């Protein structure tokens, strides 16, 4: 099929590796989402896009037009009620997905504590910190013993009926008070999802503001509940990320090795594959097949997890998943849950590549299934790799866009940020806060979430460039982070090229990139903690809504992104998306874009144009600066020697900056 640079009128492909591959026969042969958009030849349904199509009962579906009396639902439901119910159900689904992922991680953590996995409890400091938060005795106890109790307590929070989720106690006091006053403090993880589904059933909650109170409670159960549990327990098991050099983009695939890409979200299997890829038996088998070894490469958020913790390269993000396979150079794509397009099995239909599903919850036609058992992780991983090795000899024509691999420095957990800025032995957010107060750094912008095909694929890049040019430090997660890494914004050197003077000075002194990779999508919980640390450090107000910070998830695709957006808003952080499925309901839409401010001190915003979006973020940041009284023009203080020494003390982390320890390539 012929490929053009453009599909329809709106989604430019600008990614160089994708364009390179699409210009080759192999790339032309595959049918991708770009083709499917063109082939469908129809735009999305207006009722669906505006949020006013209801099919919550069998009297409908009802397509509702706001303000037209004859066009309300058969049950009498108004556009606002319907849009709010739909929006809330998106949050419930997003939360359920993070939650189910988190539950698996906690179960894996328990299995690890019992010694039943190839993994270990590696971050004992974090184990002790979390155990203390959960009221668990740590004195004189063996680490696995503590971990087991922590794991069981954590697991119990999923089914908990009353009380509050423990992690919410980490939020700034004022946030906790706001939640309590509004009655949105989450009680149990599963309970909030269930109640959300119930309240949006036909004939239950028909007041959009009330529906969204539960929307917030459900989302908070995601961010401060399950996602945070997942991030922290995963860190304890696999290590809290520290700065590492790595490479991203399709050029990370290797001609001479068995390429295995891991795609999905839960890092348990991916971590096991990393260990087994170095097993003598596996290496011997690979050599026998004529390969130099196993080249693991990530896709989507599984990619982010092993990139952050191990520096394993990332072959592609969400929109590249089909392209990675179109290279013909992948022996197996191992998938688990979430964001795996059904089309991947079709892309490889005439190739030697196998799509291997590994989770009983997520199977697909034309894939093969090898169930991953966490208490037999080593064996499961071996089976999978043996299978991939078996395919190596069958590799047909292939094309690896070899020139397209980009250096990145990743691993910016909130602990890393604190250590790098504050110094390893006295990690603190003080230097960050100080630099915000003195104006070198204007504020913090989070760019998170997915990618899709409706807009150009350089939206993240355009937004990030505009932010850092205006001295906004960018923290990124998810596929957005990968997109920014591919554009070269995740090296310390990028600060010189792209950042404003103040931000560049800080980046140069500390040795950090102007865009920090904070992790996968569940790791947005790291951002919650980073914001909390900034509040606790002092000088920038006493709750998150006062911080000069703003978030965005441009190109959001997944329902999880909406859950994330809502937990940020409910936590006091302003969030701007390119669009929301609520425009068909005026009052409800206004409530999201403005009314929520009264409750949480933050609201949603929308803006399609990337540059305008970035400027809106900057404006939101400036308004906070103004309110804090720190927006006056400061005398430009250049770093004196003592200040440099102070900051540099923090830069001496392993693998940090240029010439770190990370894998050389
Ligand atoms: Fe999926 Fe997480 Fe979105 Fe990427 S960013 S498209 S959710 S893989 Ni998480
Ligand atoms: Fe129509 Fe009401 Fe049924 Fe929705 S719940 S489909 S608006 S009748």
């Amino acid at each position: 099929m012929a490929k053009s640079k453009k599909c329809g009128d709106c989604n430019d492909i600008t990614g160089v590796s994708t364009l390179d591959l699409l210009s080759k026969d192999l790339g032309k042969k595959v049918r991708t989402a770009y083709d499917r958009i063109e082939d469908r030849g129809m735009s999305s349904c207006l009722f669906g896009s505006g949020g006013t199509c209801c099919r919550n009962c069998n009297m409908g579906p009802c397509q509702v037009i706001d303000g037209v009396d004859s066009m309300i639902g058969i049950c009498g439901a108004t556009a606002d009620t319907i849009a709010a119910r739909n929006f809330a159900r998106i949050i419930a689904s997003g939360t359920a997905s993070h939650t189910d992922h988190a539950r698996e991680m906690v179960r894996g953590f328990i299995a690890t504590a019992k010694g039943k996995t190839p993994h270990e409890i590696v971050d004992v400091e974090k184990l002790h910190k979390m155990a203390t938060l959960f009221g668990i005795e740590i004195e004189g106890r063996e680490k696995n013993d503590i971990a087991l109790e922590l794991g069981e307590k954590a697991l119990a929070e999923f089914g908990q009926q009353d009380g509050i989720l423990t992690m919410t106690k980490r939020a700034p006091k004022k946030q906790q008070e706001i939640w309590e006053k509004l009655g949105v403090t989450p009680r149990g993880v599963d309970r909030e999802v269930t109640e959300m589904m119930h309240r949006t059933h036909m004939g239950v909650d028909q007041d959009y503001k009330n529906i969204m109170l539960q929307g917030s409670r459900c989302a908070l159960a995601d961010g401060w509940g399950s996602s945070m549990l997942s991030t922290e327990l995963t860190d304890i098991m696999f290590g809290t990320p520290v700065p590492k050099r790595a490479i991203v983009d399709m050029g990370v695939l290797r001609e001479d090795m068995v390429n295995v890409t891991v795609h999905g979200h839960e890092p348990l299997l991916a971590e096991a594959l990393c260990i087994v890829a170095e097993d003598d038996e596996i290496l011997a088998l690979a050599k026998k097949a004529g390969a130099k070894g196993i080249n693991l490469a990530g896709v989507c958020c599984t990619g982010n997890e092993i990139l952050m913790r191990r520096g394993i390269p990332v072959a592609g993000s969400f929109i590249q998943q089909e392209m990675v396979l179109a290279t013909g150079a992948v022996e197996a794509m191992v998938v688990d849950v979430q964001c795996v397009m059904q089309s991947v099995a079709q892309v490889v239909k005439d190739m030697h590549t196998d799509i291997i599903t590994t989770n009983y919850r997520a199977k697909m036609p034309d894939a093969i299934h090898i169930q991953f058992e966490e208490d037999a992780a080593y064996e499961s991983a071996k089976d999978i790799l043996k299978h991939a090795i078996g395919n190596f000899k069958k590799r047909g024509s292939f094309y690896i866009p070899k020139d397209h691999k980009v250096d990145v420095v990743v691993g910016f957990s909130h602990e890393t940020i604190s250590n790098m800025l504050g110094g390893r032995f006295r990690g603190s957010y003080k230097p960050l806060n100080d630099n915000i107060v003195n104006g070198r750094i204007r504020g913090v912008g989070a760019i998170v979430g997915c990618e899709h095909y409706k807009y150009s694929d350089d939206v993240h890049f355009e937004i990030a460039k505009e932010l850092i040019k205006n001295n906004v430090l960018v923290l990124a997660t998810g596929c957005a982070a990968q997109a920014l890494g591919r554009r070269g914004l995740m090296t310390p050197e990028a600060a010189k090229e792209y950042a404003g003077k103040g931000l560049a000075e800080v980046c140069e002194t500390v040795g950090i990139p102007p865009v920090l990779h904070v992790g996968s999508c569940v790791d947005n919980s790291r951002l919650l903690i980073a914001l909390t640390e900034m509040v606790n450090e002092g000088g920038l107000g006493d709750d998150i809504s006062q911080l000069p910070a703003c978030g965005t998830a441009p190109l959001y695709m997944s329902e999880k992104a909406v859950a994330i957006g809502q937990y940020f808003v409910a936590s006091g952080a302003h969030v701007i998306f390119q669009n929301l499925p609520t425009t068909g309901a005026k009052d409800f839409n206004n409530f999201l874009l403005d009314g929520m401010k009264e409750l949480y001190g933050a609201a949603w915003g929308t803006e399609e144009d990337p540059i305008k979006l970035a400027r809106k973020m900057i404006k939101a940041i400036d308004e906070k600066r103004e309110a804090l009284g720190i927006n006056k023009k400061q005398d430009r203080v250049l770093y004196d020697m003592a200040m440099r020494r102070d900051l540099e003390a923090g830069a001496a982390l392993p693998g940090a900056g240029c010439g770190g320890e990370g894998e050389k390539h």
Side-chain angles (χ1 to χ4, degrees):
M1 167 162 318
K3 281 281 166 24
S4 69
K5 247 186 94 176
K6 255 173 163 341
C7 259
D9 326 304
C10 48
N11 50 339
D12 284 307
I13 307 173
T14 67
V16 281
S17 56
T18 303
L19 285 172
D20 182 0
L21 187 55
L22 285 177
S23 71
K24 305 284 180 301
D25 287 346
L26 275 166
K28 287 182 185 147
K29 226 167 55 193
V30 295
R31 250 177 75 77
T32 67
Y34 291 107
D35 300 304
R36 289 189 293 276
I37 293 177
E38 210 163 45
D39 293 352
R40 284 172 60 80
M42 55 191 261
S43 47
S44 314
C45 156
L46 281 178
F47 293 99
S49 314
T52 56
C53 171
C54 181
R55 49 184 182 80
N56 289 11
C57 90
N58 198 34
M59 293 193 287
C62 299
Q63 287 106 343
V64 166
I65 302 176
D66 200 8
V68 178
D69 284 348
S70 57
M71 286 297 285
I72 62 171
I74 292 175
C75 66
T78 60
D80 292 319
T81 302
I82 290 167
R85 286 198 303 220
N86 288 337
F87 194 71
R89 282 197 169 196
I90 294 174
I91 293 173
S93 168
T95 301
S97 309
H98 278 152
T99 293
D100 217 30
H101 164 163
R103 188 191 337 264
E104 285 306 293
M105 294 312 297
V106 175
R107 280 163 35 86
F109 183 82
I110 292 174
T112 299
K114 287 181 176 164
K116 288 188 177 166
T117 72
H119 314 300
E120 271 174 60
I121 301 300
V122 294
D123 189 340
V124 177
E125 196 185 326
K126 187 169 269 196
L127 171 72
H128 286 174
K129 207 163 145 197
M130 290 305 126
T132 307
L133 186 71
F134 274 78
I136 294 166
E137 183 58 52
I138 55 171
E139 229 34 71
R141 289 178 75 187
E142 206 260 319
K143 65 178 185 183
N144 282 43
D145 197 28
I146 302 170
L148 183 58
E149 191 177 340
L150 175 62
E152 280 167 352
K153 283 215 156 115
L155 194 60
E157 295 212 337
F158 288 80
Q160 183 173 295
Q161 300 305 318
D162 294 303
I164 63 169
L165 295 178
T166 305
M167 292 289 190
T168 59
K169 292 190 233 158
R170 300 173 86 187
K173 276 276 152 316
K174 234 177 117 188
Q175 248 68 45
Q176 295 185 48
E177 284 161 20
I178 292 170
W179 298 337
E180 207 187 308
K181 201 171 119 231
L182 293 171
V184 300
T185 310
R187 301 153 294 186
V189 174
D190 298 343
R191 181 170 182 192
E192 306 313 348
V193 177
T194 306
E195 187 172 311
M196 191 76 268
M197 292 308 285
H198 173 205
R199 280 166 69 162
T200 50
H201 181 276
M202 186 271 155
V204 186
D205 200 349
Q206 311 190 80
D207 169 343
Y208 65 84
K209 289 188 184 167
N210 204 43
I211 291 171
M212 279 312 294
L213 284 177
Q214 182 59 18
S216 290
R217 181 152 59 178
C218 184
L220 290 169
D222 175 346
W224 292 92
S226 58
S227 281
M228 200 175 285
L229 271 178
S230 185
T231 296
E232 301 293 26
L233 267 51
T234 307
D235 278 357
I236 295 173
M237 223 174 351
F238 301 145
T240 302
V242 294
K244 279 195 172 47
R245 279 195 167 259
I247 41 173
V248 297
D249 211 349
M250 281 190 268
V252 308
L253 296 174
R254 295 279 300 263
E255 206 169 307
D256 50 1
M257 294 176 99
V258 177
N259 290 309
V260 178
T261 55
V262 280
H263 176 10
H265 281 81
E266 298 169 1
L268 277 166
L269 167 59
E271 282 284 335
L273 287 170
C274 293
I275 300 172
V276 175
E278 286 170 6
D279 179 289
D280 288 342
E281 186 197 343
I282 290 293
L283 284 175
L285 280 173
K287 296 224 162 90
K288 212 169 138 205
K292 285 206 174 125
I294 309 282
N295 180 40
L296 281 180
V299 174
C300 281
C301 274
T302 302
N304 285 324
E305 298 271 355
I306 51 179
L307 172 75
M308 285 283 283
R309 296 201 181 83
R310 288 179 175 264
I312 301 278
V314 165
S317 53
F318 180 77
I319 48 163
Q320 290 176 306
Q321 60 186 290
E322 294 169 312
M323 299 315 301
V324 168
L325 295 169
T327 60
V330 176
E331 275 54 61
M333 177 178 263
V334 183
V335 305
D336 56 16
V337 292
Q338 299 165 19
C339 305
V340 180
M341 290 199 209
Q342 187 169 346
S343 63
V344 291
Q346 306 315 313
V347 170
V348 299
K349 218 157 183 184
D350 301 321
M351 295 179 189
H352 74 307
T353 313
D354 276 315
I355 305 296
I356 306 180
T357 55
T358 57
N359 191 303
Y360 74 94
R361 288 124 104 211
K363 298 190 176 180
M364 71 169 90
D366 301 317
I368 58 169
H369 186 78
I370 301 179
Q371 181 61 38
F372 169 66
E373 305 288 354
E374 68 205 8
D375 51 5
Y378 206 86
E379 290 66 34
S380 300
K382 251 186 168 172
D383 275 358
I384 290 167
L385 291 188
K386 281 182 185 167
H387 198 92
I389 293 168
N391 281 348
F392 183 72
K393 276 213 152 93
K394 294 186 248 161
R395 194 191 279 181
S397 57
F398 66 93
Y399 175 73
I400 297 173
K402 273 201 285 264
D403 297 338
H404 305 304
K405 50 182 173 196
V406 183
D407 289 304
V408 290
V409 177
V410 299
F412 293 91
S413 53
H414 62 83
E415 291 88 346
T416 297
I417 298 173
S418 162
N419 288 340
M420 296 233 23
L421 287 162
R424 177 161 212 173
F425 300 105
R426 50 186 169 79
S428 116
Y429 275 73
K430 188 161 187 304
L432 176 61
N433 283 21
D434 286 352
N435 277 304
I436 289 176
V437 171
N438 70 29
R440 256 188 218 95
I441 297 179
R442 193 169 195 153
V444 172
I447 304 183
V448 313
C450 326
E451 297 168 311
H452 60 64
Y453 303 84
K454 288 188 194 164
Y455 302 104
S456 168
D457 61 359
D458 61 358
V459 166
H460 300 107
F461 180 55
E462 292 301 326
I463 295 174
K465 265 195 313 189
E466 185 67 17
L467 290 177
I468 59 183
K469 185 173 91 187
N470 286 287
N471 296 311
V472 175
L473 176 67
V474 171
L475 308 184
T477 61
C479 289
Q482 297 180 4
L484 296 172
R486 281 200 301 276
R487 300 292 173 140
L489 293 183
M490 287 184 176
T491 61
E493 300 78 34
K496 221 187 191 143
E497 190 176 346
Y498 296 102
K501 200 161 164 226
L503 177 63
E505 233 167 69
V506 176
C507 290
E508 190 209 329
T509 313
V510 188
I512 54 170
V515 175
L516 305 181
H517 195 320
V518 185
S520 66
C521 290
V522 290
D523 293 339
N524 281 311
S525 62
R526 297 191 201 277
L527 297 179
L528 293 175
I529 296 298
L531 294 173
T532 302
E533 298 269 354
M534 286 169 70
V535 170
N536 293 345
E537 188 55 56
L540 295 175
D542 57 3
D543 77 24
I544 291 174
S545 75
Q546 287 172 269
L547 293 174
C550 185
T552 182
L555 300 184
Y556 88 92
M557 171 281 299
S558 152
E559 293 165 308
K560 293 174 287 172
V562 180
I564 292 166
Q566 186 59 44
Y567 72 62
F568 272 107
V569 169
S571 302
H574 189 51
V575 168
I576 307 178
F577 277 26
Q578 280 179 296
N579 64 312
L580 289 172
T582 54
T583 46
K586 195 163 128 270
D587 289 350
F588 175 59
N589 198 49
N590 286 341
F591 175 63
L592 293 184
L593 301 187
D594 190 37
M596 280 201 170
K597 261 187 224 149
E598 254 173 62
L599 305 178
Y600 309 107
W604 290 84
T606 52
E607 175 55 60
E608 280 194 308
D609 179 83
I611 299 296
K612 287 189 190 151
L613 194 157
R615 294 200 177 135
K616 281 189 179 176
M617 291 176 76
I618 294 168
K619 185 165 170 267
I621 286 169
D622 281 349
E623 280 168 14
K624 304 288 177 186
R625 295 185 63 86
E626 196 63 45
L628 289 165
I630 56 170
N631 213 16
K632 34 193 180 315
K633 260 258 166 284
Q634 303 276 334
D635 293 337
R636 291 215 50 78
V637 188
L638 291 174
Y639 279 103
D640 63 20
M641 277 316 284
M643 286 159 94
R644 275 188 185 263
R645 260 198 312 276
D646 261 14
L647 274 170
E648 273 160 13
L653 282 174
C658 321
E661 269 183 347
E663 201 203 349
K664 293 272 179 303
H665 44 260

